[in-house]
């Protein structure tokens, strides 16, 4: 997520505390926050998909291959 969007999220937050937001600004804030959370989730999911675990029997299991098909679901 570009720094510009994070700056805008922070700007809207400060304005909401100081003087309040218009309905359009509230909707923009909500949309930007949703995009931010989606970007963080995608980043974490990508990192987790790169993890290999060694099982007790010595086999190596890639978590992305084992659980990656569930990545399309939001939750």
């Amino acid at each position: 997520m570009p720094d510009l969007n994070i700056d805008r999220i922070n700007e809207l937050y400060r304005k909401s505390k100081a003087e309040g937001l218009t309905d359009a600004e509230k909707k923009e804030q909500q949309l930007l926050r949703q995009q931010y959370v989606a970007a963080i989730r995608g980043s974490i999911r990508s990192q987790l998909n790169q993890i290999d675990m060694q099982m007790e029997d010595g086999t190596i299991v890639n978590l992305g291959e084992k659980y990656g098909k569930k990545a399309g679901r939001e939750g």
Side-chain angles (χ1 to χ4, degrees), residues 39-55:
I40 295 297
R41 284 183 180 158
S43 175
I44 291 172
R45 185 173 288 127
S46 175
Q47 290 176 20
L48 291 174
N49 284 340
Q50 301 302 315
I51 294 175
D52 292 332
M53 287 182 48
Q54 184 171 1
M55 307 307 282

Side-chain angles (χ1 to χ4, degrees), residues 59-70:
T59 60
I60 305 287
V61 176
N62 179 280
L63 295 182
E65 292 172 4
K66 185 173 182 180
Y67 298 107
K69 294 182 194 257
K70 297 179 184 175

Side-chain angles (χ1 to χ4, degrees), residues 15-65:
K15 184 178 179 191
S16 73
K17 294 299 178 187
E19 59 192 75
L21 298 176
T22 65
D23 288 338
E25 289 171 330
K26 288 178 185 178
K27 289 179 184 177
E28 178 187 6
Q29 184 184 42
Q30 182 181 17
L31 177 64
L32 289 171
R33 285 178 173 174
Q34 288 173 349
Q35 291 173 349
Y36 178 76
V37 168
I40 295 297
R41 284 183 180 158
S43 175
I44 291 172
R45 185 173 288 127
S46 175
Q47 290 176 20
L48 291 174
N49 284 340
Q50 301 302 315
I51 294 175
D52 292 332
M53 287 182 48
Q54 184 171 1
M55 307 307 282
E56 290 179 6
D57 65 0
T59 60
I60 305 287
V61 176
N62 179 280
L63 295 182
E65 292 172 4

